[in-house]
Amino acid sequence: MKETTRPARHVPVLIVGGGPVGLALAAELGWRGVACELIEQGDGTISTPKMNEVNTRTMEFCRRWGVAEHVRNCPFPADHSLDVVFVTSLGGHELARMRRPTRAQQKADSFSPERLQICSQLWFDPILQTFARAQPTVTLRYRTRLETFEQTNGGVTADLHDLETGRHETVRAQYLVGCDGANSAVRDALGIALQGPGTLGHPVHLYFRAPDLLARCGREPGVFFLAIDRHGLWANIRVIDPASGLWRLMVLDTDGKQTPDSVDRDALLQRAVGRPIDVEWKGLSIWTRKSVVAERYAKGRVFLAGDAVHQLSPTGALGMNTGIGDAVDLGWKLAAVLQGWGGANLLASYDSERRPIGLRNVRMATEFHLAHGAFAGDMAAIEDASEAGEALRRRVGGGLTETVGRMFRTAGLQLGYRYQASPICMADDGSPPPDDPERFMPSADAGSRAPHVWLRDGRSILDLFGRGCVLLNFGGARTAELEKAAAARGTPLTVAMLDEPEAVALYARRLVLVRPDGHVAWRGDTLPADSGAMLDRVRGAI
């Protein structure tokens, strides 16, 4: 018989899963002053990180929370090369190199105040943990597992198990969010299926320490090495922490029958390096590469985010970053409802907005992965010290940069997603640019991320967004009617008077309403005939 510590406690939001997505949701809610409790059955430590890149949009969210500087200053050395390199092996021939500036050399792009950062989960999770813990309304509980839950129209009742003491307790939450990963128990309990192509392969991750590995191989520094030998493109070798010499070797696919005991680590490493080498082995994982999206992102008062709803190839570094986007979208909507200004239909828009983005990103990550297979033909001479070998390496190197290299050219994927069919955005007569994965084209069309521009005071216009709704007024139009409607509905609204020529041209309308997540909800040259009705649409009340 289980022991219960006390009667049921009440929390507004219970978050299940303490990875980066769960932590980001706790951070977003806490930043908005909403009480939440996060439970995680592990102890919160990371020894073999799954992610290593924080993309530009996620960095913009980190900027809002005030932790972007911590990400930029993570222990990854500022002067270490971030080049992507195609090799026959680390000690073999170099086929092509994609030059990328070091952290110290980076300059902001024209379309964002931030840039993608190399920041392993080793460091990113603790940054989010520290920030979330600093919010008075956030509770983080590790070594705590969700056993069961039941939901009614009024809330969700959850049975929690403290794995340290063995005790159980009952928590009643208004909402529960499953951020509990690919094998989500919350998703399974809801009976929500995954849809899509399914399994793409069975990779193996091998983690090891090898200080000065590149110097020992006579290789110019880089951060990501893709290995292609006579059998084709078969692996990548990534430095995670140059200071400590931590590396990860990913074998792109196996027969699916491997076990930790059957994996010949030394043979795989020798193939990747080009010769035998002694290293300190730190970990091994065998996993399944998938291409699936949940058929729905919510059921009643229970929501899902991150890998629980989209599982994709890591090609393109979209996995965690897509999940952070889920957390921000859901976070502001939960806050709006709990604070009383969000309408009855606001939370339903989470599925309407984020599921299409999940489908988009899974599709592109799958496409990036499948491009690897184009280099599985006649590669017998690729390691030969001959004219034929040199000619093959030149030809293959160019092809690799053009095709496989696409997964490193993703500005459009990172920033160009739009909530085109959103029920809480009011479409205008604009023509949004094409959704180009590589090239980002800023647009202020409804549903788009409000585009960045520098203001006279040195801030990005993005720094105006986040706490509530913001009405950008570029022409000095009278906005009292909308302000009055917002006040009557308790909707937080700030009016920003701007006249910077670049911003005026980029936003293309005299009035632009931006949501708390930084996406455009409505724009026009004059207020609509019924400002209250427009606002009711945006806050999900109609």
Side-chain angles (χ1 to χ4, degrees):
M1 180 176 179
K2 66 187 181 185
E3 182 182 354
T4 303
T5 59
R6 56 185 179 271
R9 291 186 298 107
H10 291 262
V11 298
V13 182
L14 179 64
I15 302 168
V16 182
V21 175
L23 288 168
L25 179 57
E28 177 76 4
L29 290 171
W31 185 74
R32 297 187 181 283
V34 174
C36 64
E37 183 171 308
L38 179 151
I39 62 168
E40 162 60 43
Q41 62 182 353
D43 64 6
T45 60
I46 303 295
S47 57
T48 52
K50 295 180 180 179
M51 58 72 56
N52 295 284
E53 294 184 356
V54 181
N55 79 12
T56 304
R57 186 56 173 150
T58 301
M59 282 300 295
E60 290 177 352
F61 297 138
C62 290
R63 180 187 183 92
R64 176 194 298 173
W65 298 327
V67 301
E69 196 67 22
H70 296 291
V71 179
R72 282 192 292 273
N73 293 328
C74 76
F76 195 95
D79 60 351
H80 188 89
S81 169
L82 302 184
D83 291 354
V84 174
V85 192
F86 298 94
V87 296
T88 55
S89 68
L90 283 181
H93 299 279
E94 183 169 308
L95 282 66
R97 180 176 288 259
M98 297 172 61
R99 298 282 181 183
R100 302 194 298 179
T102 65
R103 188 194 305 275
Q105 297 168 333
Q106 287 181 346
K107 297 179 181 179
D109 290 309
S110 62
F111 46 73
S112 176
E114 300 292 341
R115 287 192 62 138
L116 178 148
Q117 297 294 321
I118 303 296
C119 180
S120 168
Q121 191 178 2
L122 291 171
W123 309 309
F124 189 61
D125 277 21
I127 289 170
L128 292 179
Q129 287 172 3
T130 300
F131 177 73
R133 281 198 180 100
Q135 310 310 304
T137 59
V138 174
T139 300
L140 304 183
R141 294 183 59 192
Y142 291 92
R143 299 292 293 152
T144 303
R145 184 170 65 211
L146 173 72
E147 295 289 357
T148 61
F149 67 89
E150 295 180 355
Q151 63 172 316
T152 64
N153 291 334
V156 183
T157 301
D159 173 30
L160 308 186
H161 182 189
D162 186 319
L163 299 177
E164 296 289 348
T165 66
R167 293 178 178 176
H168 288 252
E169 65 175 306
T170 300
V171 170
R172 291 199 176 97
Q174 289 177 261
Y175 300 98
L176 184 149
V177 185
C179 303
D180 51 341
N183 298 315
S184 171
V186 176
R187 185 191 66 234
D188 288 347
L190 294 175
I192 294 177
L194 297 172
Q195 301 173 333
T199 298
L200 299 177
H202 303 276
V204 174
H205 277 170
L206 301 170
Y207 297 88
F208 61 93
R209 288 196 189 278
D212 302 320
L213 175 61
L214 294 179
R216 291 157 70 185
C217 293
R219 175 70 57 204
E220 179 185 347
V223 72
F224 199 93
F225 297 84
L226 293 99
I228 180 169
D229 59 18
R230 62 186 64 249
H231 301 292
L233 181 55
W234 71 278
N236 61 60
I237 312 105
R238 178 180 196 120
V239 59
I240 295 172
D241 181 4
S244 69
L246 181 63
W247 288 79
R248 184 207 69 205
L249 167 62
M250 179 200 286
V251 180
L252 298 182
D253 200 10
T254 67
D255 60 10
K257 300 177 182 178
Q258 298 287 334
T259 67
D261 291 333
S262 69
V263 173
D264 190 338
R265 299 177 300 178
D266 293 323
L268 292 170
L269 184 63
Q270 179 175 336
R271 182 180 175 190
V273 174
R275 60 175 180 269
I277 187 170
D278 291 328
V279 302
E280 178 188 357
W281 291 107
K282 301 300 293 183
L284 179 152
S285 65
I286 302 170
W287 52 284
T288 302
R289 190 190 306 268
K290 289 188 176 181
S291 177
V292 292
V293 178
E295 61 183 345
R296 57 194 299 184
Y297 276 29
K299 189 173 184 179
R301 288 177 170 265
V302 182
F303 298 84
L304 300 167
D307 287 354
V309 282
H310 41 71
Q311 296 167 38
L312 59 163
S313 173
T315 41
L318 295 169
M320 179 212 70
N321 292 290
T322 304
I324 301 290
D326 298 339
V328 170
D329 186 271
L330 181 58
W332 81 263
K333 292 170 180 175
L334 284 169
V337 171
L338 290 166
Q339 291 165 351
W341 63 272
N345 298 318
L346 184 60
L347 288 172
S349 71
Y350 170 63
D351 182 279
S352 302
E353 292 188 341
R354 291 306 300 174
R355 189 169 184 275
I357 306 307
L359 290 165
R360 164 195 186 257
N361 290 0
V362 168
R363 182 179 67 252
M364 285 309 308
T366 301
E367 186 176 312
F368 291 153
H369 168 67
L370 294 178
H372 290 62
F375 299 89
D378 184 9
M379 298 288 171
I382 199 163
E383 298 174 86
D384 292 353
S386 64
E387 289 187 10
E390 180 62 29
L392 179 60
R393 288 190 289 274
R394 284 197 301 270
R395 176 174 61 80
V396 171
L400 287 165
T401 302
E402 177 64 26
T403 55
V404 177
R406 290 180 64 211
M407 70 181 188
F408 301 99
R409 301 188 294 266
T410 59
L413 271 178
Q414 295 174 51
L415 298 173
Y417 62 89
R418 296 188 296 272
Y419 302 137
Q420 271 186 302
S422 171
I424 61 170
C425 291
M426 300 186 69
D428 53 48
D429 58 359
S431 299
D435 188 7
D436 185 333
E438 294 190 34
R439 183 185 176 201
F440 173 63
M441 301 175 66
S443 168
D445 287 87
S448 299
R449 159 193 168 274
H452 156 74
V453 64
W454 291 112
L455 303 177
R456 288 192 187 93
D457 62 7
R459 291 182 298 170
S460 166
I461 198 171
L462 272 58
D463 297 331
L464 303 179
F465 312 141
R467 291 294 185 182
C469 296
V470 176
L471 181 65
L472 302 177
N473 189 334
F474 293 107
R478 296 180 179 179
T479 60
E481 181 185 343
L482 182 60
E483 294 176 66
K484 183 178 178 180
R489 291 159 173 78
T491 303
L493 175 68
T494 301
V495 179
M497 307 293 292
L498 302 172
D499 62 0
E500 282 87 345
E502 185 180 354
V504 170
L506 195 54
Y507 279 80
R509 299 292 188 278
R510 295 176 67 194
L511 297 169
V512 181
L513 182 64
V514 181
R515 310 180 331 182
D517 61 345
H519 283 256
V520 174
W522 167 88
R523 66 176 180 168
D525 288 323
T526 60
L527 289 178
D530 188 339
S531 293
M534 181 269 282
L535 197 60
D536 285 342
R537 170 84 173 271
V538 171
R539 67 189 187 90
I542 57 176

